[in-house]
């Protein structure tokens, strides 16, 4: 429950401290006094976006702090933040745009601040009832009242997974279509390459062989001459070596030091003999084979034609063939993948349908409850013959929010059929319908709160169970008279379980409050300041008199006294 609010350097607020009491609190004051600025500051404290423009002119930083009398907050326990002395939310907004936020002096991000703030405060703005004019908002009203957040999150997750599977299947089928067009061509290319039976290094080997065949005469002549010089002709190298060995044997008999030379000559003889034998065999292979030359030329021409066609080397063509074969194998596995994706998608869609159908059942159930609650609330708010219905229609296609299309129908007069709310409700009626919906939502929250409290805490503890703070910023716009009084009664009733803060211009509602605060803007020659004061009975009577007639007179004071007495 909000107990204290401090605001500094925010908009036209210099420094402001507001203390709040249990029950029904109203804030009144002239138009433009700054009442909604206070609500805006609370909104920023609860995680709304901020900009440097909200900082008071001439200052470097705005500061907002709120103290809540909440001593056992489960979310803060999860975050490891001690709240034995209550909860203090603080936010600093600087001109440099580097704001800071804290929970009990522990630094916290805006997301965490927003999450904790939402559990402590609900703000119902003065323009919120305009949302009722948008049919697409009606679904969120029902889901909010029905507390469908968890099942909606589950549906959204499964729906997104189904969308992802559907896209994956679509992409795969597109690839299969593209591969179908390439498949015959790839197979033709593979057969063409395979028919040539290419081998790594073949072209270079053939070109080398062709060079040899084209120079056979020269090779044969040179090798024959070398053989003759080495072995066959008179005075050959081997013959001369044999003579040298004979001569050195004679020398070594006389001079033993020539023995080493003799050994070397004798070692060379078998080497030359072996070389001559090899050379003899080598020269005999050089026989001109015209047919072989033709075959090599034909093979090389075929290889070059394939290289020119593919614009690749032999090695690259062989690699391309391997890649093409891999593409065909992948294509053959694509059909299996597509079937698997279809099965997964079918199962995921069935899961989505199951969750969506369950959500539809819950919405239908809560819609009937809301119809009864809102109808009852509307009677208490001055609609003696009003009818309120929640129309639920099924869409043809499932979306992430389900099948349902929800629209509020309303009739404010007897004998008139219900029609879409957007076509029949006036501004004042919209305000009351919004309040009735909020009361229906609050009733559901009370049931949940009481159930949890009864299940988890003792009777004595229940008496001190923390109250949530509800802020109504001129949701009573467009109404007056007895209807305004009924709205005040309803807000008063809500304050039994919540701390209620209502910004109002209606004296009938202000008179119902347990605590009355006035917001005044004090303008001097240099600056404008906002002041908030808790009114005693006398000042409260004067403020209500002003609200009744625009100025304080004996008649308006008497009327104000009557309202306060009632």
């Amino acid at each position: 429950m909000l107990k204290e609010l401090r605001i500094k350097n925010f908009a036209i607020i210099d420094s402001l401290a507001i203390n709040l009491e249990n029950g029904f609190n109203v804030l009144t004051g002239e138009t433009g006094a700054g009442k909604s600025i206070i609500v805006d500051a609370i909104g920023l404290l609860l995680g709304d976006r901020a900009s440097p423009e909200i900082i008071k002119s001439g200052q470097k930083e705005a500061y907002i702090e709120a103290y809540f009398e909440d001593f056992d907050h489960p979310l803060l326990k999860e975050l490891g933040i001690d709240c034995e002395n209550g909860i203090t939310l603080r936010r600093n907004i600087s001109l440099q745009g580097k704001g800071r936020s804290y929970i009990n002096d522990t630094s916290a991000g805006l997301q965490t601040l927003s999450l904790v703030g939402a559990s402590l405060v609900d703000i119902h703005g003065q323009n919120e009832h305009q949302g009722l004019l948008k049919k697409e908002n009606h679904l969120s009203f029902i889901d909010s009242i029905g507390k469908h957040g968890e099942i909606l999150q589950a549906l959204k997750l499964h729906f997104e997974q189904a969308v992802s599977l559907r896209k994956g299947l679509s992409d795969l089928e597109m690839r299969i279509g593209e591969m179908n067009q390439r498949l015959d061509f790839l197979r033709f290319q593979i057969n063409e390459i395979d028919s040539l039976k290419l081998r790594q290094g073949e072209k270079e080997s053939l070109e080398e062989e062709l060079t040899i065949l084209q120079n056979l005469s020269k090779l044969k002549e040179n090798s024959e001459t070398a053989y003759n010089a080495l072995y066959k002709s008179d005075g050959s190298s081997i013959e001369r070596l044999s003579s040298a060995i004979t001569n050195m044997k004679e020398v070594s008999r006389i001079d033993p030091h020539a023995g080493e030379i003799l050994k070397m000559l004798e070692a060379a003889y078998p080497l030359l003999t072996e070389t001559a034998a090899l050379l003899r065999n080598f020269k005999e292979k050089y026989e001109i084979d015209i047919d072989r030359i033709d075959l090599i030329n034909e093979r090389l021409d075929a290889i070059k034609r394939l290289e020119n066609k593919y614009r690749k080397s032999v090695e690259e063509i062989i690699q391309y063939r391997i890649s093409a074969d891999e593409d065909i194998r992948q294509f053959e596995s694509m059909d299996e993948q597509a079937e698997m994706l279809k099965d997964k998608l079918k199962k995921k869609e069935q899961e989505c349908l199951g969750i969506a159908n369950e959500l539809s059942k819950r919405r239908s159930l809560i819609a009937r409850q809301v119809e009864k609650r809102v109808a009852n609330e509307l009677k208490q708010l001055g609609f003696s013959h009003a009818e309120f219905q929640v129309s639920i229609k099924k869409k043809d296609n499932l979306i992430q929010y389900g099948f349902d299309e929800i629209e509020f129908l309303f009739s404010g007069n007897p004998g008139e059929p219900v029609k879409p709310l957007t076509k029949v409700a006036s501004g004042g009626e919209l305000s009351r319908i919004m309040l009735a919906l909020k009361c229906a939502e609050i009733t559901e929250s009370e049931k949940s709160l009481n159930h949890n409290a009864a299940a988890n805490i003792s009777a004595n503890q229940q008496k001190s169970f923390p109250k949530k703070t509800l802020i109504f910023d001129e949701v009573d716009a467009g109404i007056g008279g007895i209807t305004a009084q009924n709205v005040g009664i309803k807000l008063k009733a809500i304050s039994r379980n919540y701390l209620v803060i209502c910004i109002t211009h209606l004296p009938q509602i202000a008179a119902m409050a347990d605590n009355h605060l006035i917001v005044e803007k004090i303008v001097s020659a240099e600056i404008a300041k906002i002041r908030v004061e808790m009114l005693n009975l006398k000042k409260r009577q004067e403020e209500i008199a002003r609200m009744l007639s625009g100025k304080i007179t004996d008649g308006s004071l008497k009327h104000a006294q009557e309202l306060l007495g009632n």
Side-chain angles (χ1 to χ4, degrees):
M1 181 178 69
L2 180 60
K3 295 295 290 181
E4 185 177 2
L5 176 68
R6 293 182 178 274
I7 306 170
K8 187 174 182 179
N9 299 332
F10 180 79
I12 62 172
I13 297 176
D14 183 17
S15 181
L16 186 64
I18 303 174
N19 294 305
L20 296 160
E21 301 293 339
N22 291 344
F24 181 21
N25 296 265
V26 294
L27 271 70
T28 66
E30 295 283 0
T31 300
K35 301 183 292 298
S36 293
I37 293 176
I38 296 171
V39 177
D40 292 341
I42 296 174
L44 285 173
L45 193 59
L46 303 182
D48 287 353
R49 286 188 176 184
S51 66
E53 286 76 15
I54 57 92
I55 300 173
K56 185 176 175 64
S57 178
Q59 301 297 324
K60 295 181 179 180
E61 186 176 61
Y63 166 93
I64 308 162
E65 180 181 281
Y67 169 72
F68 294 85
E69 196 176 57
D70 192 336
F71 307 111
D72 189 23
H73 198 288
L75 181 56
L76 291 186
K77 285 185 176 180
E78 290 181 14
L79 296 171
I81 298 176
D82 177 39
C83 55
E84 289 185 3
N85 297 316
I87 300 171
T88 299
L89 305 183
R90 187 169 86 251
R91 187 172 179 186
N92 296 56
I93 303 150
S94 71
L95 283 175
Q96 289 74 29
K98 295 181 179 180
R100 304 180 305 281
S101 52
Y102 303 88
I103 302 175
N104 285 359
D105 293 325
T106 298
S107 181
L110 279 185
Q111 187 175 358
T112 302
L113 192 71
S114 178
L115 191 63
V116 173
S119 68
L120 297 169
V121 180
D122 279 340
I123 298 178
H124 309 300
Q126 56 183 317
N127 296 318
E128 189 178 2
H129 65 273
Q130 296 298 323
L132 289 174
L133 293 175
K134 296 180 180 179
K135 176 183 172 182
E136 56 269 24
N137 290 339
H138 297 177
L139 179 67
S140 61
F141 272 104
I142 292 298
D143 286 335
S144 176
I145 293 174
K147 303 293 186 289
H148 295 155
E150 188 173 336
I151 190 171
L152 275 169
Q153 188 63 29
L155 177 58
K156 182 181 179 183
L157 175 63
H158 283 74
F159 183 83
E160 288 174 349
Q161 290 172 346
V163 169
S164 179
L165 286 171
R166 194 175 294 112
K167 184 180 185 303
L169 179 60
S170 176
D171 291 344
L172 184 59
E173 288 177 338
M174 185 179 295
R175 288 177 61 198
I176 290 174
E178 293 171 352
M179 283 297 296
N180 266 325
Q181 297 175 10
R182 292 187 61 218
L183 197 58
D184 290 340
F185 184 58
L186 284 174
R187 285 174 176 155
F188 168 79
Q189 288 181 317
I190 288 174
N191 291 333
E192 183 179 45
I193 295 169
D194 287 349
S195 67
L196 207 58
K197 297 180 181 178
L198 293 173
R199 300 185 304 276
Q200 294 280 358
E202 179 186 12
K203 181 183 176 185
E204 291 76 9
S205 177
L206 288 172
E207 288 174 338
E208 180 182 331
E209 184 180 355
L210 182 61
T211 300
I212 292 172
L213 289 172
Q214 289 172 338
N215 292 276
L216 277 177
S217 297
K218 186 176 182 179
L219 293 170
K220 189 173 181 64
E221 180 183 349
N222 290 337
S223 59
E224 184 73 36
T225 302
Y227 177 70
N228 291 336
L230 182 63
Y231 181 76
K232 192 174 181 182
S233 65
D234 292 338
S236 65
S237 297
I238 289 178
E239 185 178 322
R240 291 181 179 184
L241 178 61
S242 179
S243 175
I245 291 172
T246 301
N247 289 323
M248 287 308 297
K249 282 181 179 179
E250 291 296 327
V251 172
S252 64
R253 286 193 191 102
I254 300 170
D255 185 358
H257 293 94
E260 187 65 28
I261 297 172
L262 177 61
K263 288 180 181 178
M264 294 177 67
L265 290 171
E266 289 175 338
Y269 186 84
L271 179 62
L272 283 178
T273 304
E274 184 181 354
T275 303
L278 290 174
L279 187 54
R280 182 183 65 245
N281 295 331
F282 188 79
K283 71 183 182 63
E284 288 175 356
K285 77 173 184 176
Y286 291 129
E287 297 294 335
I288 296 175
D289 187 348
I290 301 301
D291 292 337
R292 179 60 181 165
I293 292 175
D294 291 341
L295 286 173
I296 291 175
N297 280 323
E298 288 176 7
R299 180 67 174 171
L300 285 172
D301 287 343
I303 290 173
K304 288 175 181 177
R305 282 196 301 271
L306 199 64
E307 285 182 324
N308 290 333
K309 181 176 181 178
Y310 285 87
R311 296 184 179 180
K312 298 178 186 295
S313 66
V314 170
E315 287 70 22
E316 289 172 335
I317 291 172
I318 292 172
Q319 191 59 45
Y320 175 76
R321 188 252 180 253
I322 295 170
S323 176
D325 193 50
E326 181 63 27
D327 286 346
I328 291 175
R329 283 200 297 271
Q330 285 185 3
F331 170 75
E332 290 169 348
S333 69
M334 281 181 188
D335 286 330
E336 296 179 8
Q337 294 176 30
E339 289 302 317
M340 290 174 60
L341 277 178
K342 286 177 183 177
D343 289 341
K344 287 183 179 180
L345 178 59
K346 185 177 180 181
K347 291 177 182 178
K348 186 57 64 176
E349 287 176 340
Q350 288 173 345
E351 290 176 352
C352 286
L353 286 173
I355 297 173
N357 286 328
E358 174 61 24
L359 180 58
S360 291
K361 290 179 184 178
R362 295 189 188 184
R363 283 169 172 166
S364 180
L365 179 62
I366 200 69
R368 303 291 79 82
Q369 295 173 359
V370 167
E371 286 178 340
K372 293 178 183 179
R373 292 177 192 165
V374 172
N376 182 56
E377 297 291 344
L378 288 173
K379 286 180 181 178
Q380 299 178 47
L381 293 173
F383 289 104
S384 56
H385 298 91
E387 287 188 59
F388 181 84
Q389 292 181 12
V390 181
S391 168
I392 302 180
K393 295 179 181 178
K394 290 277 188 179
K395 293 181 179 179
D396 294 332
N397 299 318
L398 175 67
I399 61 173
Q400 62 178 335
Y401 303 110
F403 287 115
D404 307 304
E405 187 175 273
I406 291 181
E407 184 172 20
F408 295 156
L409 308 178
F410 176 75
S411 171
N413 300 300
E416 290 290 331
V418 291
K419 295 180 181 179
L421 190 65
T422 57
K423 296 181 179 179
V424 296
S426 65
E429 289 172 334
L430 281 174
S431 296
R432 283 180 284 169
I433 293 169
M434 169 60 78
L435 185 56
L437 282 166
K438 289 300 176 186
C439 290
E441 182 178 4
I442 289 166
T443 302
E444 183 68 23
S445 297
E446 286 176 351
K447 288 172 62 180
S448 175
L449 177 64
N450 292 334
H451 173 75
N452 292 333
N456 298 305
I457 58 178
S458 66
N460 289 333
Q461 288 175 313
Q462 286 186 41
K463 292 178 182 179
S464 60
F465 199 86
K467 292 182 178 181
K468 195 170 187 179
T469 299
L470 305 180
I471 300 175
F472 294 91
D473 185 8
E474 297 187 29
V475 293
D476 50 18
I479 61 175
I482 188 63
T483 301
Q485 188 172 359
N486 289 331
V487 169
I489 292 171
K490 177 54 60 180
L491 291 171
K492 178 83 169 180
I494 294 172
S495 70
R496 288 198 296 267
N497 293 301
Y498 297 86
L499 186 146
V500 174
I501 302 171
C502 179
I503 295 176
T504 183
H505 288 284
L506 298 179
Q508 299 95 322
I509 292 176
M512 297 278 182
D514 298 308
N515 311 293
H516 190 153
L517 296 93
I518 186 170
V519 181
E520 295 178 300
K521 180 164 68 175
I522 302 170
V523 180
S524 67
E526 297 179 355
I527 56 171
K529 292 185 178 180
I530 291 178
R531 182 173 71 91
V532 177
E533 180 186 1
M534 180 74 76
L535 300 181
N536 58 27
L537 182 59
K538 181 177 181 300
K539 289 186 176 181
R540 187 176 181 188
Q541 183 178 348
E542 292 174 350
E543 171 62 6
I544 291 175
R546 181 199 63 77
M547 296 171 71
L548 283 164
S549 64
K551 59 182 178 179
I552 300 173
T553 65
D554 290 341
S556 62
L557 283 170
K558 184 176 180 181
H559 191 182
Q561 188 176 12
E562 290 175 356
L563 282 176
L564 287 168
N566 290 335

